[in-house]
Amino acid sequence: MKKFEIKTTFTVYENESELSIEDQKLLAMAREAAGRAYADYSHFQVGAALLLDNGEVVTGNNQENSAYPSGLCAERTTAFYASSRYPGVPFKKLVVTAINSQKPLTMPVPPCGACRQVLSEYEQKGGKPITILLAGQSGEIWQVSSVEELLPLSFSGSFLPDSE
Ligand code: THU
């Protein structure tokens, strides 16, 4: 029998002013996107700004629905739009933030498991790590250097049978 340990390492910035100008701009875009979210049911507005390898930035937010499971998180809305608009262009950096108007978020908001799985596939497809920055409405900002750090041992299409 063997035992293995998986460690996650991330960088903590004390506040927004410690970020590079580029990252501050991306965070401002993610905040604007969060403000445009359609979150009439949860009232939890999430926004994302995704920098692509071709220099384009795509933003997105969560989209809810009265049939609750039909909605989609900000991260997947953004990733799917980016891949549909710029197919095959690797993702470089994803900035995610959220707004809770009842109880302002003083902590970063990490992506849900389903979003991690989707981002993981785009990371593998793109062939380079996606930097992820997570921010609340105030306080620390966390930076993870890849999706793999967030979702080790992920499922991948390479497990599936070859299609011919
Ligand atoms: N949500 C996101 O957009 N991203 C996440 O990673 C977690 C949750 C959305 C889904 C739903 O519209 C609302 O936040 C409350 O769960």
Side-chain angles (χ1 to χ4, degrees):
M1 207 247 317
K2 283 183 188 169
K3 278 196 180 179
F4 294 92
E5 188 181 45
I6 297 173
K7 283 188 184 164
T8 296
T9 309
F10 60 104
T11 305
V12 176
Y13 296 99
E14 288 303 313
N15 56 55
E16 227 169 293
S17 66
E18 284 189 6
L19 299 180
S20 67
I21 299 295
E22 177 185 86
D23 290 354
Q24 288 185 26
K25 282 185 187 158
L26 288 169
L27 179 52
M29 292 172 87
R31 287 200 200 288
E32 273 177 38
R36 294 192 297 269
Y38 176 39
D40 285 15
Y41 301 96
S42 72
H43 304 290
F44 188 72
Q45 297 177 289
V46 187
L50 177 62
L51 172 65
L52 304 179
D53 212 35
N54 63 3
E56 296 288 340
V57 178
V58 167
T59 62
N61 47 38
N62 51 331
Q63 296 293 314
E64 298 186 349
N65 191 274
S66 53
Y68 297 162
S70 304
L72 197 64
C73 292
E75 295 88 331
R76 274 175 290 163
T77 303
T78 307
F80 290 153
Y81 176 67
S83 178
S84 61
R85 178 72 182 79
Y86 301 103
V89 178
F91 297 176
K92 222 172 158 181
K93 191 179 285 178
L94 177 70
V95 181
V96 184
T97 189
I99 303 167
N100 178 342
S101 49
Q102 287 169 10
K103 199 173 59 170
L105 300 158
T106 54
M107 288 270 293
V109 181
C112 78
C115 287
R116 292 177 198 211
Q117 176 62 35
V118 165
L119 291 168
S120 162
E121 182 150 333
Y122 286 117
E123 181 169 88
Q124 288 167 43
K125 202 164 126 61
K128 45 176 86 173
I130 306 168
T131 302
I132 300 176
L133 278 157
L134 306 168
Q137 286 162 266
S138 63
E140 290 178 351
I141 290 153
W142 296 349
Q143 180 178 301
V144 185
S145 59
S146 67
V147 182
E148 202 183 353
E149 285 277 339
L150 281 181
L151 185 66
L153 305 181
S154 62
F155 181 75
S156 122
S158 65
F159 297 123
L160 298 174
D162 291 334
S163 55
E164 264 176 65

